[in-house]
Amino acid sequence: MPSKNFGWGAITLACACAFLASLVMVATGQQSSSGGAAAPAAPVAPVAIDADDIGGAVTGARGPEAGVWVIAETRNLPTRFIESVVTDDQGRFVVPDLPKAEYDVWVRGYGLVDSPKTRATPGKIVNLKAVAAPDKKAAAKYYPALYWFALMQVPPKSDFPGSGERGNGISPSIRSQGEWIRQVVNTDGCTGCHQMGGEATRAIPKSILDSVHDSKTAWDRRIQAGQAGGGMSARFTQVGLQRALGMYADWTDRIAAGELPSAAPQRPQGRERNVVITMWDWADPKTYLHDEISTDKRNPTVNANGPIYGALEESGDYLPVVDPKTNTSSQVKLIVRDPNTPSSADQPPEGPSPYWGDETIWNSKTTVHSFAMDKQGRIWAAARVRKPETPAWCQAGSDHPSAKAFPIKQSTRGLEMYDPKTKKLTTIDTCFSWGHVNFDDNDVLWSSFGPAGVEGWFDVKIWDKTHDEKAAQGWSAFVLDYNGNGKRDVYTEPNQPADPTKDKRLNVQYYGDSPAADGSVWGSVQGMPGAVVRFVPGAHPPDTALAEYYEVPWNNPKAPMQGFAPRGMDVDSRGVVWTVLSSGHLASFDRGKCKGPLNGPNATGQHCPEGWTLYPLPGPNYKGAVENASADSVYYDFVDRFDLLGVGKDVPISTGNLSEGLIALVDGKFMTFRVPYPMGFFAKGMDGRIDNPNGGWKGRALYTTYATRAPFHAEGGKGNTSKLVKFQVRPDPLSK
């Protein structure tokens, strides 16, 4: 052919084709390993594997696919098993330490659609072909829920405070956009129990749509579904029912009409590619998980290589158990002290569920919330064991020192202890309630969940010696040193005017709690703006305990950043408090940075903005939002004091429940370790364990669980069970 056919015209055409191809990649979220036009592929170095690994390389039309997931799944073990890893910059992967079984192996990644599944067994090299998404719609199907929920249009700041049903439809009690987000959008609202933005929630079920005439009515039906329907409807009514329904209806209407996320997630980068995620099915399809425990958080070598236990909260009366050594799941049946203990089954569905109809699927009397494990490997669970009325010795007229100071008439959860060595369960009645359960260094358990105004404790040393539950427990009011003299005095009640000569009682309640090394016990207080509280027991806690109260900076001109509504919290080895906020922040509070008085009449709550540091979470924000930082929802956090995950000691890790992973703050920057499959990862509590102190990355891990109240919303739908999830970060993506 004439040479002119190989000249500038052909080159220009080739450049144009490459340019168009790059536009397709941008539109679908696909990312090449080089970030630019494809170059001739260099030879890919071979992957070394052991007999229990599956390794290989992933390539696409443009060459190696870096930062995509390779997923291996089997149902040939006693319980379903899944392991996922990320490819390196040459598209190579190693799925390590697989139990002997046959696996389905495939590729998932941003900019792709799932590749065909390949059958493989450990010890094999398997090279996989990635499949590019044909368009943005196909690519967006695999985006984390966050990117879809960020399409939510929230009311503008100018609409607050609300003007009521006859005005703008927002309740006058909702004073700011931030409070609206807190109450009906983020972690203290809908995303406290569900992952919003996943495929199951961004579309209204057909069974509901077929029975109504408009999407607002459809949403009204939707929030009535199931046994939590009454609570969901009440929350919408509290903020302004029609306005809240309209906001959610507008969101799903626009998605149904074809609107797609305006931002695309980035593929895992750097050390994010070193993660190994292992999962086991546990529990059953009608239950949900709230928390798990694998070890003693003070000494994570306790229960090394042992079973991991889960908490079903309202949904069932057993502890689900996974044994990672045998890949088996089992149950520990729970007991109550009083056969007339209330049950979650006493609350029937408010409306029919698209998944379960009118069936009452939750039936728990114990409502186990969270745990601690002691140095003997015993599990101490927050569990209901009786009716709400407390024993006489908790109430007025009792000789109990704490009851003399602050009698308690009603409470919910006590404790239930399980000893794996004897297989014995023991119920323990406490006058106060338990939510989160944490040991201090003296083997004293500290509580959260009140009742309001109370912090309680249970001394396990005393109980082990005497088995006297009355003698082992105590509680105290939260009392501010309002007169600033350094000791506890007569105090004014919360509904009385403050008196500068007296102390002042706070009617607060811990949600999260964590003992610190200095003997104090910190807790998070929900609300707007919410706070963290420091409780110092003193020599005789019922009479000597004092509290300090520090609000999250809000409407505070002295603070460089504003936030609101803490939920979970933990304390690091330096005594710094870490909490997660409904405003889309991870936050720290360092009491040592406070410049002014910590007590006295000037300690108003907003008196130490300099102690707070707020870290905006990564990812997009809601449309029109100006008073929060991110649309992500973080429920709880955990300070990794022992480098259990593999990214450093004292690293705070939060649950990115819409970004579908765990978010670690390392040297001031966030790393996101996403769970790619099944989509719908949503966590609450977490802990970590060392199985082998000399085993490197293989000898330690962080554990959590799928903790959404609706596991049937996750990928796979009805029939799904929750999953125990193990996170490990190895030195590089090919470590085996």
Side-chain angles (χ1 to χ4, degrees):
M1 297 177 66
S3 60
K4 64 180 181 181
N5 289 335
F6 295 92
W8 287 107
I11 294 173
T12 303
L13 180 60
C15 291
C17 290
F19 175 70
L20 289 172
S22 70
L23 290 181
V24 171
M25 291 179 68
V26 171
T28 60
Q30 187 176 348
Q31 299 152 325
S32 69
S33 58
S34 64
V44 175
V47 174
I49 62 171
D50 295 330
D52 58 357
D53 307 330
I54 294 175
V58 178
T59 56
R62 295 171 56 83
E65 289 282 357
V68 299
W69 291 280
V70 175
I71 303 162
E73 176 182 30
T74 185
R75 297 176 186 265
N76 299 146
L77 297 170
T79 193
R80 181 186 180 191
F81 178 94
I82 304 166
E83 191 168 302
S84 61
V85 299
V86 187
T87 58
D88 71 358
D89 58 0
Q90 296 183 59
R92 299 174 300 172
F93 67 91
V94 171
V95 187
D97 301 335
L98 291 167
K100 187 175 181 181
E102 190 172 33
Y103 292 84
D104 286 325
V105 183
W106 74 97
V107 180
R108 173 170 288 187
Y110 302 137
L112 307 178
V113 296
D114 280 1
S115 69
K117 294 180 179 179
T118 298
R119 300 291 280 180
T121 54
K124 303 294 185 182
I125 294 293
V126 179
N127 294 316
L128 301 170
K129 290 291 185 181
V131 181
D135 52 37
K136 185 175 180 180
K137 181 179 179 180
K141 179 181 178 181
Y142 298 93
Y143 290 2
L146 166 65
Y147 290 82
W148 291 93
F149 201 47
L151 296 176
M152 177 75 74
Q153 179 74 52
V154 297
K157 184 178 179 180
S158 58
D159 274 7
F160 299 93
S163 53
E165 290 184 8
R166 296 185 179 181
N168 62 14
I170 298 172
S171 169
S173 66
I174 307 300
R175 297 175 294 276
S176 65
Q177 185 191 70
E179 189 168 7
W180 174 271
I181 290 169
R182 181 240 161 182
Q183 289 275 37
V184 77
V185 180
N186 208 276
T187 309
D188 284 349
C190 294
T191 61
C193 294
H194 308 286
Q195 186 197 79
M196 301 300 296
E199 190 168 12
T201 56
R202 64 180 182 254
I204 301 173
K206 187 175 184 298
S207 62
I208 294 178
L209 284 176
D210 287 347
S211 65
V212 299
H213 299 293
D214 63 87
S215 52
K216 280 182 68 174
T217 306
W219 267 98
D220 199 16
R221 293 278 182 90
R222 190 176 206 185
I223 62 172
Q224 294 175 38
Q227 288 165 266
M232 291 190 288
S233 292
R235 177 57 63 90
F236 273 50
T237 299
Q238 182 183 9
V239 303
L241 177 62
Q242 294 303 316
R243 187 66 183 267
L245 292 172
M247 179 183 70
Y248 276 90
D250 170 71
W251 173 58
T252 51
D253 281 350
R254 286 187 282 112
I255 291 172
E259 186 169 346
L260 297 171
S262 55
Q266 185 183 53
R267 287 182 179 179
Q269 303 291 317
R271 294 170 75 186
E272 294 173 340
R273 295 181 179 177
N274 300 353
V275 71
V276 178
I277 297 171
T278 309
M279 285 186 274
W280 298 262
D281 275 8
W282 61 351
D284 67 81
K286 294 182 181 180
T287 61
Y288 68 88
L289 267 290
H290 186 276
D291 205 351
E292 56 68 44
I293 193 75
S294 69
T295 191
D296 182 344
K297 293 183 180 180
R298 302 163 300 174
N299 176 11
T301 63
V302 170
N303 192 41
N305 297 297
I308 292 134
Y309 302 85
L312 297 179
E313 203 185 37
E314 302 290 341
S315 62
D317 278 329
Y318 63 88
L319 304 181
V321 184
V322 160
D323 185 341
K325 298 192 306 295
T326 60
N327 301 296
T328 56
S329 63
S330 59
Q331 300 177 3
V332 175
K333 300 292 185 183
L334 295 168
I335 61 175
V336 292
R337 180 173 296 190
D338 181 353
N340 295 316
T341 300
S343 170
S344 53
D346 299 337
Q347 177 64 54
E350 184 81 5
S353 161
Y355 300 87
W356 303 102
D358 293 318
E359 184 179 356
T360 299
I361 62 172
W362 299 344
N363 59 5
S364 178
K365 290 186 174 184
T366 53
T367 71
V368 171
H369 188 274
S370 294
F371 321 89
M373 186 179 286
D374 66 20
K375 58 186 66 174
Q376 300 176 54
R378 298 177 300 183
I379 294 96
W380 297 81
R384 188 164 56 188
V385 300
R386 57 158 167 80
K387 292 181 288 189
E389 185 177 359
T390 59
W393 54 267
C394 301
Q395 302 186 30
S398 168
D399 61 353
H400 193 287
S402 294
K404 288 180 180 180
F406 203 95
I408 300 174
K409 291 184 178 181
Q410 289 194 332
S411 63
T412 52
R413 293 183 182 96
L415 291 169
E416 186 153 350
M417 190 271 285
Y418 175 66
D419 187 341
K421 295 176 183 176
T422 63
K423 310 298 183 187
K424 182 181 177 181
L425 285 155
T426 304
T427 61
I428 297 170
D429 199 349
T430 61
C431 302
F432 51 91
S433 295
W434 295 81
H436 297 100
V437 188
N438 284 297
F439 275 108
D440 67 13
D441 291 336
N442 296 312
D443 293 331
V444 175
L445 283 168
W446 293 89
S447 73
S448 65
F449 284 30
V454 167
E455 172 61 359
W457 59 90
F458 188 84
D459 192 323
V460 171
K461 298 188 303 299
I462 293 175
W463 189 84
D464 278 339
K465 289 178 181 178
T466 66
H467 282 70
D468 185 339
E469 61 191 17
K470 178 181 175 182
Q473 69 181 273
W475 62 95
S476 173
F478 291 102
V479 178
L480 293 177
D481 182 15
Y482 193 74
N483 60 20
N485 67 359
K487 62 186 182 70
R488 180 155 147 183
D489 302 303
V490 174
Y491 52 78
T492 59
E493 293 293 338
N495 59 352
Q496 295 177 330
D499 184 335
T501 68
K502 298 180 180 179
D503 289 339
K504 181 179 180 180
R505 184 171 76 83
L506 283 178
N507 197 38
V508 298
Q509 175 179 311
Y510 278 177
Y511 180 79
D513 69 311
S514 183
D518 64 1
S520 63
V521 181
W522 287 88
S524 55
V525 176
Q526 294 180 270
M528 191 68 191
V532 294
V533 172
R534 181 174 184 254
F535 179 91
V536 183
H540 187 254
D543 304 313
T544 60
L546 286 170
E548 298 169 3
Y549 176 74
Y550 302 97
E551 287 184 347
V552 180
W554 178 248
N555 293 332
N556 188 336
K558 296 181 180 180
M561 193 176 293
Q562 312 289 315
F564 51 84
R567 189 87 176 200
M569 57 83 60
D570 203 358
V571 178
D572 69 19
S573 61
R574 299 178 297 117
V576 176
V577 178
W578 291 88
T579 186
V580 290
L581 306 179
S582 266
S583 53
H585 297 91
L586 175 66
S588 67
F589 179 75
D590 186 345
R591 180 175 177 267
K593 293 181 178 179
C594 296
K595 298 177 181 178
L598 305 181
N599 300 289
N602 292 322
T604 59
Q606 290 283 330
H607 57 290
C608 183
E610 63 274 13
W612 287 92
T613 304
L614 273 58
Y615 300 87
L617 296 169
N621 205 352
Y622 316 107
K623 289 178 177 286
V626 296
E627 292 191 345
N628 75 312
S630 169
D632 205 354
S633 174
V634 281
Y635 189 97
Y636 220 89
D637 64 305
F638 171 80
V639 175
D640 188 0
R641 294 188 290 125
F642 299 95
D643 191 20
L644 303 166
L645 179 61
V647 293
K649 291 185 177 181
D650 260 348
V651 168
I653 302 166
S654 56
T655 58
N657 286 344
L658 301 192
S659 52
E660 306 206 5
L662 297 183
I663 305 173
L665 184 69
V666 184
D667 298 327
K669 296 182 179 180
F670 285 114
M671 294 181 186
T672 302
F673 299 101
R674 300 195 200 273
V675 177
Y677 169 81
M679 294 184 70
F681 175 72
F682 178 109
K684 289 185 178 175
M686 68 187 103
D687 78 336
R689 189 170 75 190
I690 298 173
D691 289 329
N692 180 358
N694 301 315
W697 71 270
K698 291 188 179 185
R700 56 190 61 214
L702 206 66
Y703 291 93
T704 186
T705 185
Y706 277 64
T708 169
R709 283 198 173 194
F712 39 86
H713 284 173
E715 181 181 356
K718 186 177 179 181
N720 266 333
T721 70
S722 179
K723 284 144 189 62
L724 174 67
V725 190
K726 177 182 181 181
F727 289 81
Q728 296 170 293
V729 177
R730 48 190 174 174
D732 63 74
L734 302 183
S735 295
K736 57 186 178 66

